[in-house]
Amino acid sequence: MSIQIYNTLTRKKEPFIPLEEGKVKIYVCGPTVYNYIHIGNARPVIAFDTVRRYFAYKGYDVTYISNFTDVDDKIIQAANELGEEVGELTDRFIDAYFEDILALGCTKADAHPRVTDHIDDIIQFISVLIDKGYAYESEGDVYYRTRKFEGYGKLSHQSIDELRVGARIEESEIKENALDFALWKSAKEGEISWESPWGAGRPGWHIECSVMAREHLGDTIDIHAGGQDLTFPHHENEIAQSEAMTGKMFARYWMHNGYINIENEKMSKSLGNFVLVNDIRKQVDPKVLRFFMLSVHYRHPVNFSQDLVESAANGLDRIQTAYNNLKHRLSTSADLGDQKDIWMHKVDEQITAFEQAMDDDFNTANGIAAIFELVKLANVYLLEKNTQAEVLTYFIETLERLMDVLGISLESETDLLDQDIEALIEERLDARKNRNFARADEIRDELKAKGILLEDTAQGTRWKRG
RNA sequence: GGCGGCAUAGCCAAGCGGUAAGGCACGGGUCUGCAACACCCUUAUCACCGGUUCGAUUCCGGUUGCCGCCUCCA
């Protein structure tokens, strides 16, 4: 079964057919680096990191590119306000970005190109568009001639005539048409700028992605992804630029993730309800944040609230506990029992269910359901008097493998017990043998106060951090 | 005005033509020295009104209510 992808371009789920057998080239629009990222920024990073992981799981050779917009109005403004050089500011927030996304279990892209490293390519690209009649210079700016590109509007399914010219699109004298957008902006006094055939200036927002995607992935890429709000105008404009340039299809599949709301409200600066990843990940286990986001299909909106995150934490805990218990059993039980094939088969069924879910437009909500079924099976298996190492191992490895697709590691945090604690657990075992339950409970409470929870099983006492 | 999305149990969330996955929370039971973990049991006429169909949560039309894009935005 091939992977089905909902393609914004066609508004349909389509079987994924790579340009090149066994390979997939993905470009994800990255952040404008003038601040720490918020959880809304984190959603596409997590969603498409998961897409990337699943492709890899399926054996694809994935090339994954995500850019940094490191020069634009907001950056210049922020730098001015902070009295910092643009380059300093962007370096700082790029570092912060990596810290944040790594904490969230995302892998770095194969390349993170920056706009400021591609100025020459951008200038060249724009020059060709001008030569081809798709762009024109006007008072030091260069604009894209939207009317000239026939397919304009095909991604957002907007008719160019229906687009409302908002109050903020100025019917500028220097543009031929209100919908024309800037490829090159002339520099204002004192602004960071680069020399160009049209004078000192800097790139417009949309051109960078066309240039960098082409540079790193070629004329046509398999998947182009980003937040829903980028569909128009950003991605529409990218298509116009790239296809005018190459005459070839720019991206075959367009994926867009849904929004995040905060406590049922839109996240916005005016409401002051921005949640920065850098803050929240210090309060909530980033694994939980990731698990929470993946519990909803990527195209649907997700509501971020303390209660919902907490309930996700409890769910993830169920998976973690089962995993820990399997490991504990493996290390404490004899290799007995039979019916190996039956159990292995049941595990396989859930692997299939997981893959079917993920094949269906990366339906992580259903994938997680399959993992929970696996957990249920494991818990039932652990009820057996005798277990087989091979079965336990298969459960453990499968859980690791599937959770890894979701970018969540179940490996314990290398925190070994202090000798003191270990001694206490030993002492408690003795106390229980001697039916000195008062002392046993005392020890359990003492450890609980230190965040160590004890669980007595037929195979001995196991513990976990609580 | 144009384009689009969503409405499923207390909460979250899949399903999208054959009478409802999964998780969280709640209640009852089993296991346990007591717990914890776990297991078992219990919980939904799928916003409303029409239509198509042998049959609709699922398709079509309409109504209501939320939401997004059309302007920087993940």
Side-chain angles (χ1 to χ4, degrees), chain A residues 233-352:
Chain A
H234 184 56
H235 289 159
E236 198 70 73
N237 291 350
E238 283 185 50
I239 290 174
Q241 293 160 348
S242 293
E243 299 192 354
M245 174 71 168
T246 65
K248 298 177 196 161
M249 186 176 216
F250 178 41
R252 289 153 55 88
Y253 301 87
W254 287 86
M255 296 178 71
H256 293 98
N257 63 274
Y259 263 64
I260 285 187
N261 295 317
I262 305 287
E263 306 283 353
N264 287 314
E265 280 186 314
K266 184 181 173 170
M267 186 163 65
S268 76
K269 277 184 178 156
S270 54
L271 287 167
N273 59 354
F274 262 70
V275 176
L276 298 180
V277 171
N278 205 262
D279 296 329
I280 192 74
R281 71 179 166 85
K282 287 163 187 162
Q283 297 156 34
V284 180
D285 183 348
K287 282 183 198 177
V288 169
L289 294 171
R290 182 165 181 130
F291 184 73
F292 169 68
M293 288 208 202
L294 294 177
S295 68
V296 182
H297 185 93
Y298 76 89
R299 277 189 284 120
H300 292 181
V302 45
N303 185 36
F304 189 90
S305 82
Q306 207 159 350
D307 286 353
L308 295 178
V309 169
E310 202 178 302
S311 118
N314 290 339
L316 180 56
D317 208 43
R318 177 174 162 81
I319 298 170
Q320 184 72 60
T321 300
Y323 176 80
N324 295 345
N325 293 353
L326 285 163
K327 282 203 142 177
H328 177 260
R329 185 68 175 262
L330 184 63
S331 65
T332 54
S333 285
D335 186 12
L336 295 167
D338 45 22
Q339 299 196 305
K340 181 184 91 180
D341 293 341
I342 292 176
W343 287 99
M344 304 283 268
H345 178 68
K346 286 181 179 181
V347 174
D348 285 336
E349 281 177 343
Q350 291 318 128
I351 294 174
T352 302

